[in-house]
Amino acid sequence: MCKAPAVIDLPRHNAHFCAEHLQQLCRRQVAKAIDDFEMFAPDDRILVAVSGGKDSLAVWDMLIDAGYRADGLYIGLGIGEYSTDSGAYARRFADERNLDLRVIDLREEYGYDVPTASRATGRVPCSACGLSKRRLFDQAALDGDYDVVVTGHNLDDEAAVLFGNTLRWDIDYLARQLPVLPAANGFPKKAKPLVRLTERETAAWCLVRGIDYVVEECPIAAGNRHLAYKESLNAIEATSPGSKASFYLGFLERMTPLLADRSAAAVGELHECERCGAPTTGEVCAFCRLVDKAAAHVPVPVELVVGRRR
Amino acid sequence: MCKAPAVIDLPRHNAHFCAEHLQQLCRRQVAKAIDDFEMFAPDDRILVAVSGGKDSLAVWDMLIDAGYRADGLYIGLGIGEYSTDSGAYARRFADERNLDLRVIDLREEYGYDVPTASRATGRVPCSACGLSKRRLFDQAALDGDYDVVVTGHNLDDEAAVLFGNTLRWDIDYLARQLPVLPAANGFPKKAKPLVRLTERETAAWCLVRGIDYVVEECPIAAGNRHLAYKESLNAIEATSPGSKASFYLGFLERMTPLLADRSAAAVGELHECERCGAPTTGEVCAFCRLVDKAAAHVPVPVELVVGRRR
């Protein structure tokens, strides 16, 4: 692109990028996503779901860099050393930049952790983890009067989830796989500003911006189907650069209109959980039921859950 | 399944099969496909598109075995030794069983072959080949008063094509990817009775039935995207047996209803080619234009086309 030294080659753009042009690319793609999908307005208060990994720290940095008002929320999931490390990266990022990071520790505040919840409920760990995070981010956004919850899901994440939903032709999941979900039925608005950026690009953003992040994958997630779908798509991308982006963006452009009727119907009849007030289809919501079982269970060390999967 | 020696293990059925039970499985899956998708009736006259490979010989054998009236048509594509060999296998199969096989040689009857057509028209070889075969099978079915053209596309083929169409979200192609297409607009009815069988299963059918077939892939097709999509799906199937079948059959069950409106609209305005009378959207159909260019071109040996792709 210019004469400055390249930091990354991007085959789908058929070019090498220097630090400055890489940042320009990222800023443009994020601005385009926010604009195209009407994610939020300049004055909206944003709550970023922070994991300590490259994507959530990159999206928080990009939002602040672009002048948005964005606070962070980190949830301590109790996944051994991985959680200790990722929490430290999240705190350091916020401290160094004088940003507002709230921390919720599952064990301290709710009496359980993800490995224990998985064992106590019989759910796969990623399911127990996702349920906990969704509920706590939603609640924090509503309590804190935020306009939108932002997550760091990137193009690779969304393409892999889309691939899984497509392999099963799960029409209800497909209908709801959107880069922005409006506030509705007691849920806050949610947006994914990184859907036009790959994980190589967000990693490069962190590199050139001097952002330290937890590099390891979650030890429990390692080997799950989501990662297998990513590998499949990476193999296709390697022979046909750009196919990952055209898979995901083509879905949004040409397929979601055909699913529009199903998107609303897929939510179902909701009312308030009689314990916590969150929207649910049952009497007591899945999160309250999970907390009941998990907090009553003897703590399960992460090694036991990882060992079981392998 | 029984005490007879196993000839094949089928993880998606979680069992090993002996020669007899393998045949039973194949017969049932083919009968179910013919029945579920209303492919043809017991007295229909069937024209089988025969390539000399395992799938087309297997489907022909299965149809005869089930009591249907089925003739074959083999097209000599002029793809060097591959065509010589595959033609010999097709002829021997028909001769040994006293079946009716018609042979059309592109070079002798139309003055071109696939490598030359590809070079003369600038089409990729698989596109020139597919156009030629579709046109000649259609014409032969109409001329011979056949009720339906049957092809040997198996579950792996259909899943790979579906995967490619899905990666591009090509809605018009998706809308027309059906196991049976009714006769319409001057096209004959078409059916794919093997869509519920994998290529391992059709190969096993040939093995236990003593059917010799050309084992090599077409040398020009080797390395094309279709084969890369098959490999991706095979990797997923290896970790989650049954996912290939659920991908394709789930599409038929849950997705095609959403595409029904598009299926008819996708065909477009058709009238007769002013040269050959075949249905076309232009004045002269794509096949007549291909023959014009290809027959006027100096013959191109297959090695040149294969060499160009690699």
Side-chain angles (χ1 to χ4, degrees), chain A residues 163 166-169 225 232 236 240 247 250-251 254-255 258-259, chain B residues 163 166-169 225 232 236 240 247 250-251 254-255 258-259:
Chain A
F163 189 25
T166 303
L167 278 175
R168 287 182 298 275
W169 293 101
R225 280 190 191 172
S232 288
I236 289 160
S240 309
F247 175 53
F251 167 79
R254 294 185 293 281
M255 193 59 208
L258 298 178
L259 296 167
Chain B
F163 189 27
T166 303
L167 277 176
R168 289 182 296 276
W169 292 102
R225 281 189 191 174
S232 287
I236 290 160
S240 308
F247 175 53
F251 167 79
R254 293 185 294 281
M255 193 60 208
L258 298 178
L259 296 166

PDB file of all heavy atoms in Angstrom, chain A residues 163 166-169 225 232 236 240 247 250-251 254-255 258-259, chain B residues 163 166-169 225 232 236 240 247 250-251 254-255 258-259:
ATOM      1  N   PHE A 163     -21.579 -21.558   9.921  1.00  0.00           N
ATOM      2  CA  PHE A 163     -21.291 -22.851   9.307  1.00  0.00           C
ATOM      3  C   PHE A 163     -21.971 -23.970  10.098  1.00  0.00           C
ATOM      4  O   PHE A 163     -22.636 -24.854   9.520  1.00  0.00           O
ATOM      5  CB  PHE A 163     -19.778 -23.038   9.261  1.00  0.00           C
ATOM      6  CG  PHE A 163     -19.310 -24.218   8.476  1.00  0.00           C
ATOM      7  CD1 PHE A 163     -20.068 -24.769   7.448  1.00  0.00           C
ATOM      8  CD2 PHE A 163     -18.072 -24.792   8.757  1.00  0.00           C
ATOM      9  CE1 PHE A 163     -19.600 -25.862   6.725  1.00  0.00           C
ATOM     10  CE2 PHE A 163     -17.608 -25.876   8.039  1.00  0.00           C
ATOM     11  CZ  PHE A 163     -18.379 -26.415   7.031  1.00  0.00           C
ATOM     12  N   THR A 166     -25.670 -23.829   9.652  1.00  0.00           N
ATOM     13  CA  THR A 166     -26.016 -24.219   8.285  1.00  0.00           C
ATOM     14  C   THR A 166     -25.896 -25.730   8.105  1.00  0.00           C
ATOM     15  O   THR A 166     -26.732 -26.353   7.452  1.00  0.00           O
ATOM     16  CB  THR A 166     -25.115 -23.485   7.278  1.00  0.00           C
ATOM     17  OG1 THR A 166     -25.242 -22.081   7.486  1.00  0.00           O
ATOM     18  CG2 THR A 166     -25.517 -23.814   5.849  1.00  0.00           C
ATOM     19  N   LEU A 167     -24.850 -26.325   8.683  1.00  0.00           N
ATOM     20  CA  LEU A 167     -24.699 -27.785   8.584  1.00  0.00           C
ATOM     21  C   LEU A 167     -25.931 -28.485   9.151  1.00  0.00           C
ATOM     22  O   LEU A 167     -26.322 -29.543   8.677  1.00  0.00           O
ATOM     23  CB  LEU A 167     -23.453 -28.255   9.345  1.00  0.00           C
ATOM     24  CG  LEU A 167     -22.123 -28.133   8.623  1.00  0.00           C
ATOM     25  CD1 LEU A 167     -20.991 -28.530   9.558  1.00  0.00           C
ATOM     26  CD2 LEU A 167     -22.088 -29.007   7.369  1.00  0.00           C
ATOM     27  N   ARG A 168     -26.536 -27.890  10.173  1.00  0.00           N
ATOM     28  CA  ARG A 168     -27.743 -28.478  10.778  1.00  0.00           C
ATOM     29  C   ARG A 168     -29.023 -27.883  10.207  1.00  0.00           C
ATOM     30  O   ARG A 168     -30.114 -28.304  10.563  1.00  0.00           O
ATOM     31  CB  ARG A 168     -27.738 -28.232  12.289  1.00  0.00           C
ATOM     32  CG  ARG A 168     -26.735 -29.063  13.065  1.00  0.00           C
ATOM     33  CD  ARG A 168     -26.838 -28.790  14.563  1.00  0.00           C
ATOM     34  NE  ARG A 168     -26.537 -27.399  14.898  1.00  0.00           N
ATOM     35  CZ  ARG A 168     -25.313 -26.923  15.087  1.00  0.00           C
ATOM     36  NH1 ARG A 168     -24.276 -27.724  15.007  1.00  0.00           N
ATOM     37  NH2 ARG A 168     -25.116 -25.656  15.371  1.00  0.00           N
ATOM     38  N   TRP A 169     -28.881 -26.837   9.336  1.00  0.00           N
ATOM     39  CA  TRP A 169     -30.045 -26.081   8.853  1.00  0.00           C
ATOM     40  C   TRP A 169     -31.000 -25.794  10.005  1.00  0.00           C
ATOM     41  O   TRP A 169     -32.192 -26.103   9.942  1.00  0.00           O
ATOM     42  CB  TRP A 169     -30.738 -26.803   7.680  1.00  0.00           C
ATOM     43  CG  TRP A 169     -29.847 -26.818   6.490  1.00  0.00           C
ATOM     44  CD1 TRP A 169     -29.092 -27.863   6.050  1.00  0.00           C
ATOM     45  CD2 TRP A 169     -29.555 -25.729   5.598  1.00  0.00           C
ATOM     46  NE1 TRP A 169     -28.346 -27.486   4.946  1.00  0.00           N
ATOM     47  CE2 TRP A 169     -28.614 -26.188   4.654  1.00  0.00           C
ATOM     48  CE3 TRP A 169     -29.988 -24.393   5.519  1.00  0.00           C
ATOM     49  CZ2 TRP A 169     -28.097 -25.371   3.641  1.00  0.00           C
ATOM     50  CZ3 TRP A 169     -29.477 -23.589   4.507  1.00  0.00           C
ATOM     51  CH2 TRP A 169     -28.544 -24.086   3.594  1.00  0.00           C
ATOM     52  N   ARG A 225     -16.440 -28.163  18.612  1.00  0.00           N
ATOM     53  CA  ARG A 225     -16.842 -28.152  17.204  1.00  0.00           C
ATOM     54  C   ARG A 225     -16.632 -26.800  16.544  1.00  0.00           C
ATOM     55  O   ARG A 225     -16.285 -26.721  15.378  1.00  0.00           O
ATOM     56  CB  ARG A 225     -18.330 -28.494  17.099  1.00  0.00           C
ATOM     57  CG  ARG A 225     -18.573 -29.965  17.201  1.00  0.00           C
ATOM     58  CD  ARG A 225     -20.005 -30.281  16.856  1.00  0.00           C
ATOM     59  NE  ARG A 225     -20.271 -31.667  17.208  1.00  0.00           N
ATOM     60  CZ  ARG A 225     -21.462 -32.232  17.181  1.00  0.00           C
ATOM     61  NH1 ARG A 225     -22.519 -31.524  16.824  1.00  0.00           N
ATOM     62  NH2 ARG A 225     -21.611 -33.486  17.500  1.00  0.00           N
ATOM     63  N   SER A 232     -12.115 -25.812   9.081  1.00  0.00           N
ATOM     64  CA  SER A 232     -12.665 -26.102   7.753  1.00  0.00           C
ATOM     65  C   SER A 232     -12.707 -24.845   6.900  1.00  0.00           C
ATOM     66  O   SER A 232     -12.300 -24.850   5.737  1.00  0.00           O
ATOM     67  CB  SER A 232     -14.091 -26.651   7.863  1.00  0.00           C
ATOM     68  OG  SER A 232     -14.081 -27.948   8.363  1.00  0.00           O
ATOM     69  N   ILE A 236     -10.657 -23.621   3.301  1.00  0.00           N
ATOM     70  CA  ILE A 236     -11.300 -23.105   2.095  1.00  0.00           C
ATOM     71  C   ILE A 236     -10.780 -21.705   1.776  1.00  0.00           C
ATOM     72  O   ILE A 236     -10.488 -21.374   0.626  1.00  0.00           O
ATOM     73  CB  ILE A 236     -12.832 -23.112   2.268  1.00  0.00           C
ATOM     74  CG1 ILE A 236     -13.322 -24.557   2.253  1.00  0.00           C
ATOM     75  CG2 ILE A 236     -13.514 -22.296   1.185  1.00  0.00           C
ATOM     76  CD1 ILE A 236     -14.675 -24.749   2.866  1.00  0.00           C
ATOM     77  N   SER A 240      -9.266 -20.191  -1.623  1.00  0.00           N
ATOM     78  CA  SER A 240     -10.077 -19.130  -2.246  1.00  0.00           C
ATOM     79  C   SER A 240     -10.175 -17.933  -1.304  1.00  0.00           C
ATOM     80  O   SER A 240     -11.169 -17.804  -0.576  1.00  0.00           O
ATOM     81  CB  SER A 240     -11.492 -19.631  -2.545  1.00  0.00           C
ATOM     82  OG  SER A 240     -11.482 -20.833  -3.254  1.00  0.00           O
ATOM     83  N   PHE A 247     -19.093 -15.747   2.462  1.00  0.00           N
ATOM     84  CA  PHE A 247     -20.036 -16.669   3.112  1.00  0.00           C
ATOM     85  C   PHE A 247     -20.876 -15.915   4.142  1.00  0.00           C
ATOM     86  O   PHE A 247     -22.114 -15.951   4.110  1.00  0.00           O
ATOM     87  CB  PHE A 247     -19.252 -17.810   3.777  1.00  0.00           C
ATOM     88  CG  PHE A 247     -20.071 -18.786   4.579  1.00  0.00           C
ATOM     89  CD1 PHE A 247     -21.176 -19.420   4.037  1.00  0.00           C
ATOM     90  CD2 PHE A 247     -19.709 -19.094   5.888  1.00  0.00           C
ATOM     91  CE1 PHE A 247     -21.913 -20.340   4.786  1.00  0.00           C
ATOM     92  CE2 PHE A 247     -20.437 -20.007   6.640  1.00  0.00           C
ATOM     93  CZ  PHE A 247     -21.542 -20.624   6.092  1.00  0.00           C
ATOM     94  N   GLY A 250     -22.611 -12.609   2.499  1.00  0.00           N
ATOM     95  CA  GLY A 250     -23.637 -13.054   1.553  1.00  0.00           C
ATOM     96  C   GLY A 250     -24.874 -13.578   2.265  1.00  0.00           C
ATOM     97  O   GLY A 250     -26.001 -13.375   1.820  1.00  0.00           O
ATOM     98  N   PHE A 251     -24.642 -14.246   3.398  1.00  0.00           N
ATOM     99  CA  PHE A 251     -25.769 -14.700   4.218  1.00  0.00           C
ATOM    100  C   PHE A 251     -26.602 -13.510   4.685  1.00  0.00           C
ATOM    101  O   PHE A 251     -27.832 -13.508   4.566  1.00  0.00           O
ATOM    102  CB  PHE A 251     -25.245 -15.494   5.426  1.00  0.00           C
ATOM    103  CG  PHE A 251     -26.271 -15.751   6.492  1.00  0.00           C
ATOM    104  CD1 PHE A 251     -27.218 -16.756   6.344  1.00  0.00           C
ATOM    105  CD2 PHE A 251     -26.295 -14.979   7.650  1.00  0.00           C
ATOM    106  CE1 PHE A 251     -28.172 -16.982   7.329  1.00  0.00           C
ATOM    107  CE2 PHE A 251     -27.246 -15.205   8.642  1.00  0.00           C
ATOM    108  CZ  PHE A 251     -28.182 -16.208   8.479  1.00  0.00           C
ATOM    109  N   ARG A 254     -28.342 -11.873   1.367  1.00  0.00           N
ATOM    110  CA  ARG A 254     -29.309 -12.586   0.526  1.00  0.00           C
ATOM    111  C   ARG A 254     -30.181 -13.581   1.277  1.00  0.00           C
ATOM    112  O   ARG A 254     -31.258 -13.940   0.820  1.00  0.00           O
ATOM    113  CB  ARG A 254     -28.573 -13.301  -0.604  1.00  0.00           C
ATOM    114  CG  ARG A 254     -27.906 -12.331  -1.580  1.00  0.00           C
ATOM    115  CD  ARG A 254     -27.276 -13.005  -2.768  1.00  0.00           C
ATOM    116  NE  ARG A 254     -26.145 -13.834  -2.430  1.00  0.00           N
ATOM    117  CZ  ARG A 254     -24.919 -13.387  -2.182  1.00  0.00           C
ATOM    118  NH1 ARG A 254     -24.669 -12.092  -2.234  1.00  0.00           N
ATOM    119  NH2 ARG A 254     -23.953 -14.222  -1.876  1.00  0.00           N
ATOM    120  N   MET A 255     -29.694 -14.054   2.428  1.00  0.00           N
ATOM    121  CA  MET A 255     -30.434 -15.105   3.124  1.00  0.00           C
ATOM    122  C   MET A 255     -31.318 -14.551   4.232  1.00  0.00           C
ATOM    123  O   MET A 255     -32.449 -15.020   4.398  1.00  0.00           O
ATOM    124  CB  MET A 255     -29.432 -16.110   3.698  1.00  0.00           C
ATOM    125  CG  MET A 255     -30.043 -17.396   4.174  1.00  0.00           C
ATOM    126  SD  MET A 255     -30.910 -18.261   2.851  1.00  0.00           S
ATOM    127  CE  MET A 255     -32.109 -19.126   3.842  1.00  0.00           C
ATOM    128  N   LEU A 258     -34.961 -13.820   3.589  1.00  0.00           N
ATOM    129  CA  LEU A 258     -35.857 -14.971   3.480  1.00  0.00           C
ATOM    130  C   LEU A 258     -36.250 -15.524   4.847  1.00  0.00           C
ATOM    131  O   LEU A 258     -37.196 -16.294   4.971  1.00  0.00           O
ATOM    132  CB  LEU A 258     -35.192 -16.094   2.664  1.00  0.00           C
ATOM    133  CG  LEU A 258     -34.830 -15.777   1.209  1.00  0.00           C
ATOM    134  CD1 LEU A 258     -34.129 -16.967   0.569  1.00  0.00           C
ATOM    135  CD2 LEU A 258     -36.084 -15.425   0.418  1.00  0.00           C
ATOM    136  N   LEU A 259     -35.478 -15.151   5.869  1.00  0.00           N
ATOM    137  CA  LEU A 259     -35.703 -15.684   7.214  1.00  0.00           C
ATOM    138  C   LEU A 259     -36.413 -14.686   8.120  1.00  0.00           C
ATOM    139  O   LEU A 259     -36.665 -14.983   9.295  1.00  0.00           O
ATOM    140  CB  LEU A 259     -34.355 -16.055   7.855  1.00  0.00           C
ATOM    141  CG  LEU A 259     -33.565 -17.172   7.181  1.00  0.00           C
ATOM    142  CD1 LEU A 259     -32.137 -17.212   7.718  1.00  0.00           C
ATOM    143  CD2 LEU A 259     -34.239 -18.514   7.395  1.00  0.00           C
TER     144      LEU A 259
ATOM    145  N   PHE B 163     -22.761 -27.414  -0.448  1.00  0.00           N
ATOM    146  CA  PHE B 163     -21.778 -26.660   0.334  1.00  0.00           C
ATOM    147  C   PHE B 163     -21.263 -25.467  -0.474  1.00  0.00           C
ATOM    148  O   PHE B 163     -21.201 -24.334   0.017  1.00  0.00           O
ATOM    149  CB  PHE B 163     -20.637 -27.606   0.722  1.00  0.00           C
ATOM    150  CG  PHE B 163     -19.650 -27.050   1.697  1.00  0.00           C
ATOM    151  CD1 PHE B 163     -20.016 -26.058   2.604  1.00  0.00           C
ATOM    152  CD2 PHE B 163     -18.347 -27.530   1.730  1.00  0.00           C
ATOM    153  CE1 PHE B 163     -19.095 -25.562   3.523  1.00  0.00           C
ATOM    154  CE2 PHE B 163     -17.423 -27.035   2.634  1.00  0.00           C
ATOM    155  CZ  PHE B 163     -17.792 -26.053   3.528  1.00  0.00           C
ATOM    156  N   THR B 166     -23.928 -22.887  -0.846  1.00  0.00           N
ATOM    157  CA  THR B 166     -24.177 -22.241   0.443  1.00  0.00           C
ATOM    158  C   THR B 166     -23.057 -21.259   0.782  1.00  0.00           C
ATOM    159  O   THR B 166     -23.315 -20.177   1.289  1.00  0.00           O
ATOM    160  CB  THR B 166     -24.306 -23.303   1.549  1.00  0.00           C
ATOM    161  OG1 THR B 166     -25.347 -24.205   1.200  1.00  0.00           O
ATOM    162  CG2 THR B 166     -24.642 -22.662   2.886  1.00  0.00           C
ATOM    163  N   LEU B 167     -21.809 -21.647   0.490  1.00  0.00           N
ATOM    164  CA  LEU B 167     -20.692 -20.730   0.754  1.00  0.00           C
ATOM    165  C   LEU B 167     -20.894 -19.418   0.002  1.00  0.00           C
ATOM    166  O   LEU B 167     -20.505 -18.359   0.473  1.00  0.00           O
ATOM    167  CB  LEU B 167     -19.361 -21.357   0.321  1.00  0.00           C
ATOM    168  CG  LEU B 167     -18.697 -22.312   1.306  1.00  0.00           C
ATOM    169  CD1 LEU B 167     -17.453 -22.917   0.686  1.00  0.00           C
ATOM    170  CD2 LEU B 167     -18.335 -21.614   2.618  1.00  0.00           C
ATOM    171  N   ARG B 168     -21.505 -19.493  -1.179  1.00  0.00           N
ATOM    172  CA  ARG B 168     -21.773 -18.277  -1.965  1.00  0.00           C
ATOM    173  C   ARG B 168     -23.183 -17.734  -1.728  1.00  0.00           C
ATOM    174  O   ARG B 168     -23.541 -16.705  -2.273  1.00  0.00           O
ATOM    175  CB  ARG B 168     -21.620 -18.584  -3.459  1.00  0.00           C
ATOM    176  CG  ARG B 168     -20.189 -18.811  -3.931  1.00  0.00           C
ATOM    177  CD  ARG B 168     -20.148 -19.057  -5.436  1.00  0.00           C
ATOM    178  NE  ARG B 168     -20.858 -20.277  -5.805  1.00  0.00           N
ATOM    179  CZ  ARG B 168     -20.344 -21.494  -5.772  1.00  0.00           C
ATOM    180  NH1 ARG B 168     -19.081 -21.660  -5.425  1.00  0.00           N
ATOM    181  NH2 ARG B 168     -21.072 -22.549  -6.088  1.00  0.00           N
ATOM    182  N   TRP B 169     -24.007 -18.485  -0.959  1.00  0.00           N
ATOM    183  CA  TRP B 169     -25.426 -18.136  -0.790  1.00  0.00           C
ATOM    184  C   TRP B 169     -26.035 -17.766  -2.138  1.00  0.00           C
ATOM    185  O   TRP B 169     -26.627 -16.693  -2.306  1.00  0.00           O
ATOM    186  CB  TRP B 169     -25.622 -17.033   0.259  1.00  0.00           C
ATOM    187  CG  TRP B 169     -25.271 -17.557   1.614  1.00  0.00           C
ATOM    188  CD1 TRP B 169     -24.109 -17.318   2.290  1.00  0.00           C
ATOM    189  CD2 TRP B 169     -26.031 -18.450   2.446  1.00  0.00           C
ATOM    190  NE1 TRP B 169     -24.109 -18.016   3.491  1.00  0.00           N
ATOM    191  CE2 TRP B 169     -25.276 -18.711   3.612  1.00  0.00           C
ATOM    192  CE3 TRP B 169     -27.282 -19.057   2.324  1.00  0.00           C
ATOM    193  CZ2 TRP B 169     -25.715 -19.544   4.636  1.00  0.00           C
ATOM    194  CZ3 TRP B 169     -27.722 -19.885   3.354  1.00  0.00           C
ATOM    195  CH2 TRP B 169     -26.935 -20.115   4.487  1.00  0.00           C
ATOM    196  N   ARG B 225     -12.746 -27.203  -7.169  1.00  0.00           N
ATOM    197  CA  ARG B 225     -13.327 -26.794  -5.891  1.00  0.00           C
ATOM    198  C   ARG B 225     -14.281 -27.834  -5.336  1.00  0.00           C
ATOM    199  O   ARG B 225     -14.349 -28.038  -4.128  1.00  0.00           O
ATOM    200  CB  ARG B 225     -14.098 -25.486  -6.075  1.00  0.00           C
ATOM    201  CG  ARG B 225     -13.184 -24.313  -6.097  1.00  0.00           C
ATOM    202  CD  ARG B 225     -13.980 -23.028  -6.047  1.00  0.00           C
ATOM    203  NE  ARG B 225     -13.090 -21.921  -6.322  1.00  0.00           N
ATOM    204  CZ  ARG B 225     -13.488 -20.674  -6.467  1.00  0.00           C
ATOM    205  NH1 ARG B 225     -14.777 -20.385  -6.390  1.00  0.00           N
ATOM    206  NH2 ARG B 225     -12.613 -19.722  -6.703  1.00  0.00           N
ATOM    207  N   SER B 232     -13.562 -31.093   2.793  1.00  0.00           N
ATOM    208  CA  SER B 232     -14.010 -30.373   3.998  1.00  0.00           C
ATOM    209  C   SER B 232     -15.116 -31.143   4.700  1.00  0.00           C
ATOM    210  O   SER B 232     -15.090 -31.329   5.917  1.00  0.00           O
ATOM    211  CB  SER B 232     -14.551 -28.987   3.629  1.00  0.00           C
ATOM    212  OG  SER B 232     -13.513 -28.131   3.273  1.00  0.00           O
ATOM    213  N   ILE B 236     -15.383 -33.130   8.517  1.00  0.00           N
ATOM    214  CA  ILE B 236     -16.446 -32.931   9.504  1.00  0.00           C
ATOM    215  C   ILE B 236     -17.166 -34.247   9.793  1.00  0.00           C
ATOM    216  O   ILE B 236     -17.449 -34.581  10.939  1.00  0.00           O
ATOM    217  CB  ILE B 236     -17.427 -31.854   9.015  1.00  0.00           C
ATOM    218  CG1 ILE B 236     -16.719 -30.498   9.055  1.00  0.00           C
ATOM    219  CG2 ILE B 236     -18.686 -31.830   9.857  1.00  0.00           C
ATOM    220  CD1 ILE B 236     -17.351 -29.450   8.189  1.00  0.00           C
ATOM    221  N   SER B 240     -17.944 -36.066  13.277  1.00  0.00           N
ATOM    222  CA  SER B 240     -19.377 -36.169  13.614  1.00  0.00           C
ATOM    223  C   SER B 240     -20.090 -37.012  12.565  1.00  0.00           C
ATOM    224  O   SER B 240     -20.693 -36.464  11.639  1.00  0.00           O
ATOM    225  CB  SER B 240     -20.033 -34.788  13.653  1.00  0.00           C
ATOM    226  OG  SER B 240     -19.331 -33.901  14.466  1.00  0.00           O
ATOM    227  N   PHE B 247     -26.825 -32.548   6.807  1.00  0.00           N
ATOM    228  CA  PHE B 247     -26.659 -31.288   6.061  1.00  0.00           C
ATOM    229  C   PHE B 247     -27.534 -31.310   4.807  1.00  0.00           C
ATOM    230  O   PHE B 247     -28.340 -30.406   4.575  1.00  0.00           O
ATOM    231  CB  PHE B 247     -25.182 -31.126   5.686  1.00  0.00           C
ATOM    232  CG  PHE B 247     -24.861 -29.929   4.820  1.00  0.00           C
ATOM    233  CD1 PHE B 247     -25.264 -28.649   5.180  1.00  0.00           C
ATOM    234  CD2 PHE B 247     -24.123 -30.099   3.651  1.00  0.00           C
ATOM    235  CE1 PHE B 247     -24.946 -27.552   4.372  1.00  0.00           C
ATOM    236  CE2 PHE B 247     -23.803 -29.011   2.851  1.00  0.00           C
ATOM    237  CZ  PHE B 247     -24.214 -27.736   3.206  1.00  0.00           C
ATOM    238  N   GLY B 250     -31.395 -32.248   5.738  1.00  0.00           N
ATOM    239  CA  GLY B 250     -31.963 -31.118   6.483  1.00  0.00           C
ATOM    240  C   GLY B 250     -32.271 -29.945   5.564  1.00  0.00           C
ATOM    241  O   GLY B 250     -33.269 -29.249   5.747  1.00  0.00           O
ATOM    242  N   PHE B 251     -31.399 -29.737   4.579  1.00  0.00           N
ATOM    243  CA  PHE B 251     -31.655 -28.685   3.575  1.00  0.00           C
ATOM    244  C   PHE B 251     -32.962 -28.971   2.839  1.00  0.00           C
ATOM    245  O   PHE B 251     -33.811 -28.085   2.687  1.00  0.00           O
ATOM    246  CB  PHE B 251     -30.484 -28.619   2.592  1.00  0.00           C
ATOM    247  CG  PHE B 251     -30.761 -27.802   1.354  1.00  0.00           C
ATOM    248  CD1 PHE B 251     -30.711 -26.420   1.388  1.00  0.00           C
ATOM    249  CD2 PHE B 251     -31.080 -28.426   0.156  1.00  0.00           C
ATOM    250  CE1 PHE B 251     -30.975 -25.660   0.250  1.00  0.00           C
ATOM    251  CE2 PHE B 251     -31.342 -27.685  -0.988  1.00  0.00           C
ATOM    252  CZ  PHE B 251     -31.289 -26.300  -0.940  1.00  0.00           C
ATOM    253  N   ARG B 254     -35.998 -28.583   5.540  1.00  0.00           N
ATOM    254  CA  ARG B 254     -36.317 -27.331   6.224  1.00  0.00           C
ATOM    255  C   ARG B 254     -36.022 -26.077   5.399  1.00  0.00           C
ATOM    256  O   ARG B 254     -36.597 -25.019   5.647  1.00  0.00           O
ATOM    257  CB  ARG B 254     -35.545 -27.259   7.554  1.00  0.00           C
ATOM    258  CG  ARG B 254     -36.016 -28.296   8.545  1.00  0.00           C
ATOM    259  CD  ARG B 254     -35.362 -28.162   9.900  1.00  0.00           C
ATOM    260  NE  ARG B 254     -33.926 -28.435   9.885  1.00  0.00           N
ATOM    261  CZ  ARG B 254     -33.384 -29.645   9.862  1.00  0.00           C
ATOM    262  NH1 ARG B 254     -34.168 -30.716   9.851  1.00  0.00           N
ATOM    263  NH2 ARG B 254     -32.083 -29.801   9.850  1.00  0.00           N
ATOM    264  N   MET B 255     -35.128 -26.191   4.420  1.00  0.00           N
ATOM    265  CA  MET B 255     -34.733 -24.996   3.692  1.00  0.00           C
ATOM    266  C   MET B 255     -35.482 -24.839   2.371  1.00  0.00           C
ATOM    267  O   MET B 255     -35.882 -23.733   2.010  1.00  0.00           O
ATOM    268  CB  MET B 255     -33.220 -25.061   3.440  1.00  0.00           C
ATOM    269  CG  MET B 255     -32.628 -23.758   2.968  1.00  0.00           C
ATOM    270  SD  MET B 255     -32.858 -22.423   4.169  1.00  0.00           S
ATOM    271  CE  MET B 255     -32.871 -21.039   3.042  1.00  0.00           C
ATOM    272  N   LEU B 258     -38.577 -22.714   2.145  1.00  0.00           N
ATOM    273  CA  LEU B 258     -38.379 -21.260   2.176  1.00  0.00           C
ATOM    274  C   LEU B 258     -37.956 -20.722   0.808  1.00  0.00           C
ATOM    275  O   LEU B 258     -38.014 -19.522   0.557  1.00  0.00           O
ATOM    276  CB  LEU B 258     -37.310 -20.888   3.208  1.00  0.00           C
ATOM    277  CG  LEU B 258     -37.612 -21.236   4.669  1.00  0.00           C
ATOM    278  CD1 LEU B 258     -36.449 -20.847   5.571  1.00  0.00           C
ATOM    279  CD2 LEU B 258     -38.876 -20.518   5.130  1.00  0.00           C
ATOM    280  N   LEU B 259     -37.489 -21.626  -0.058  1.00  0.00           N
ATOM    281  CA  LEU B 259     -36.971 -21.214  -1.365  1.00  0.00           C
ATOM    282  C   LEU B 259     -37.963 -21.483  -2.492  1.00  0.00           C
ATOM    283  O   LEU B 259     -37.670 -21.206  -3.655  1.00  0.00           O
ATOM    284  CB  LEU B 259     -35.665 -21.967  -1.666  1.00  0.00           C
ATOM    285  CG  LEU B 259     -34.486 -21.689  -0.733  1.00  0.00           C
ATOM    286  CD1 LEU B 259     -33.394 -22.734  -0.933  1.00  0.00           C
ATOM    287  CD2 LEU B 259     -33.927 -20.293  -0.971  1.00  0.00           C
TER     288      LEU B 259
END
